[in-house]
Amino acid sequence: MDKHKTIFDTTLRDGEQTPGVSLTNEQKLKIALQLDKLGVDVIEAGFPVSSEGEKQNVRAIANEGLSLDICGLARVLTKDLDACIDCNVDMIHTFISTSDIQRIHTIKKSREEVLSMAVNAVDYIKDHGAKCMFSAMDATRTDLDYLIEVYKAVEEAGCDIINVPDTVGVMSPSSMYELIKSINNEINIPIDVHCHNDFGIAVGNSLMAAEAGASQIQVTVNGIGERAGNANLAEVVMCLHSIYGAKTNIKTEYLLETAKMVENYTGIHMPANTPIVGDNAFAHESGIHTHGVLEKSDTFEPGIMTPEMVGHKRRIVLGKHAGKHAVKKSLEDMGIETNEEQLDEILARIKDIANRGKRICDADLRAVTSAVLGKN
Ligand code: KIV
Ligand code: ZN
């Protein structure tokens, strides 16, 4: 895999298309500032033609002087492109359906018409001095020869980067690899991928696209987006860094705070077992695991990814699977010393409480410990 990949975040556009999510302009600006702090390369700030409010918001973000590039989304229609140009964005992401199913049933255009509309849009964007990304919507269900013909035509027209959207998330990691390889063999401009998560493999598909030569990956914070969402930013970035040895500009220590901000603003809650940024991502309960981790953290953690790397904390959880080492460590953290006999008794009482289906919190541990120490 190439050593460096750029990250294009579409939380504010595809992410906001999550059913039930609507962000205020203030929240969108705060998310944009956070993504800048995180080190994202490009953000898709919105779809300016969709409403006057959206347009004002994209313009406000574009005028904020952030270090990342601001992109606006536009169909290949002049009114959409003009709305982006009015917002003063750095990049315009223009798209049109290329698959037969979408072309025939939604836009009702012939293949020739689609190709010429795409080329005209790219010409228009370049005449207005913005960077241009072109998406063949539903690329992964488009006839490959025609898809390559369209990408070649937009490259010829001066497009800066092409996007390959897996619009309805139907690719497998190996088919994504093959598709990106085939496109890469024919096209000389950079390739970006946009994978949807309908089968839960958007991250895997994005990584295989990156292996096949895509240099930019589209993501959203917490994987939010249309239907089952998009590839998850934290997961894509940490896999690239820790598993593939690739680099991005992401300052991974801000991943958790970014995820929490978006969780808060969108109301889309992350399950505790969410990789990397979930509450349990670095939590240990069973006696065997906590004993190992307290001795050396890599025994039951990946090691190539630590909680500190992603702004998280390791947590030892007391529950019915807890062991002596976990209880001892929790008590030490509270500044409490016990002898072996007391520790055994505290552990027994903790397990007893947990076996009755209760979660153990610090107050429970303190109460149990006081009772045991008072008794002895
Ligand atoms: O999923 C998709 O195809 C999109 C396009 C606008 C790129 O979101
Ligand atoms: Zn999408």
Side-chain angles (χ1 to χ4, degrees):
M1 186 184 287
D2 302 343
K3 281 282 161 248
H4 192 89
K5 301 289 175 190
T6 55
I7 300 296
F8 179 109
D9 181 279
T10 180
T11 304
L12 298 179
R13 199 279 300 167
D14 210 314
E16 211 204 6
Q17 288 172 218
T18 305
V21 167
S22 171
L23 298 164
T24 65
N25 284 358
E26 200 191 340
Q27 288 171 334
K28 281 184 141 191
L29 185 57
K30 284 193 178 149
I31 293 174
L33 293 169
Q34 179 69 24
L35 293 171
D36 198 36
K37 174 177 168 188
L38 182 66
V40 162
D41 300 282
V42 192
I43 58 169
E44 190 159 59
F47 187 24
V49 81
S50 64
S51 71
E52 197 44 44
E54 176 87 344
K55 190 168 163 182
Q56 279 171 17
N57 186 241
V58 173
R59 189 184 292 130
I61 294 173
N63 290 336
E64 196 58 30
L66 303 179
S67 3
L68 45 69
D69 275 357
I70 309 293
C71 176
L73 182 70
R75 289 166 296 184
V76 291
L77 309 177
T78 310
K79 64 173 177 172
D80 289 37
L81 302 170
D82 283 341
C84 286
I85 292 162
D86 284 354
C87 293
N88 201 23
V89 292
D90 304 293
M91 174 189 266
I92 300 177
H93 172 195
T94 190
F95 70 98
I96 186 164
S97 297
T98 50
S99 66
D100 288 346
I101 182 151
Q102 289 197 354
R103 200 176 46 71
I104 294 164
H105 297 283
T106 64
I107 56 174
K108 303 186 192 327
K109 300 279 179 206
S110 68
R111 285 189 176 182
E112 294 69 29
E113 284 170 315
V114 164
L115 190 140
S116 90
M117 289 167 85
V119 167
N120 289 342
V122 173
D123 276 341
Y124 195 80
I125 294 168
K126 295 317 293 176
D127 284 351
H128 287 82
K131 278 189 214 160
C132 174
M133 176 159 73
F134 170 76
S135 278
M137 189 151 82
D138 208 13
T140 55
R141 292 192 299 177
T142 300
D143 170 74
L144 184 58
D145 290 340
Y146 175 62
L147 182 67
I148 289 177
E149 190 185 339
V150 174
Y151 282 143
K152 277 187 167 166
V154 296
E155 175 177 16
E156 180 100 338
C159 185
D160 298 286
I161 177 165
I162 52 157
N163 177 34
V164 182
D166 186 20
T167 303
V168 290
V170 289
M171 293 302 265
S172 68
S174 55
S175 60
M176 196 67 186
Y177 182 89
E178 292 305 327
L179 175 64
I180 299 300
K181 269 264 175 239
S182 309
I183 297 172
N184 208 15
N185 286 341
E186 302 286 341
I187 300 293
N188 299 306
I189 52 178
I191 300 176
D192 166 284
V193 284
H194 173 101
C195 296
H196 275 277
N197 203 30
D198 297 69
F199 287 90
I201 49 177
V203 170
N205 289 343
S206 304
L207 293 168
M208 288 305 274
E211 266 212 281
S215 58
Q216 180 163 284
I217 320 290
Q218 292 204 13
V219 293
T220 58
V221 178
N222 303 339
I224 60 172
E226 284 279 0
R227 304 182 310 283
N230 294 75
N232 178 304
L233 184 154
E235 294 169 24
V236 166
V237 168
M238 289 315 295
C239 289
L240 284 173
H241 288 201
S242 297
I243 297 179
Y244 287 84
K247 297 214 172 0
T248 70
N249 292 326
I250 299 294
K251 300 179 187 80
T252 59
E253 64 275 24
Y254 300 126
L255 284 172
L256 180 65
E257 68 177 40
T258 308
K260 290 282 177 201
M261 174 188 269
V262 170
E263 179 179 44
N264 240 342
Y265 289 168
T266 58
I268 303 289
H269 293 292
M270 293 182 279
N273 64 347
T274 302
I276 302 162
V277 292
D279 287 350
N280 288 353
F282 298 94
H284 306 272
E285 184 187 305
S286 87
I288 296 170
H289 285 218
T290 48
H291 182 201
V293 163
L294 290 171
E295 195 68 28
K296 185 164 169 36
S297 59
D298 310 12
T299 51
F300 287 99
E301 282 179 10
I304 49 174
M305 173 175 72
T306 65
E308 295 75 23
M309 281 180 191
V310 301
H312 217 323
K313 281 201 171 72
R314 179 170 301 113
R315 236 164 23 97
I316 302 298
V317 178
L318 297 181
K320 66 175 173 190
H321 306 108
K324 224 170 172 173
H325 292 89
V327 176
K328 191 164 179 232
K329 171 77 169 67
S330 301
L331 290 172
E332 276 169 12
D333 290 347
M334 291 174 169
I336 299 170
E337 275 183 33
T338 56
N339 60 33
E340 283 299 298
E341 197 188 331
Q342 289 165 335
L343 197 56
D344 285 340
E345 176 66 16
I346 294 167
L347 178 62
R349 292 192 189 197
I350 290 288
K351 286 189 179 236
D352 187 46
I353 298 173
N355 274 325
R356 281 183 265 131
K358 196 173 175 299
R359 276 181 73 168
I360 311 290
C361 61
D362 283 359
D364 297 313
L365 180 60
R366 279 184 197 282
V368 165
T369 306
S370 310
V372 171
L373 297 190
K375 192 180 96 176
N376 286 298

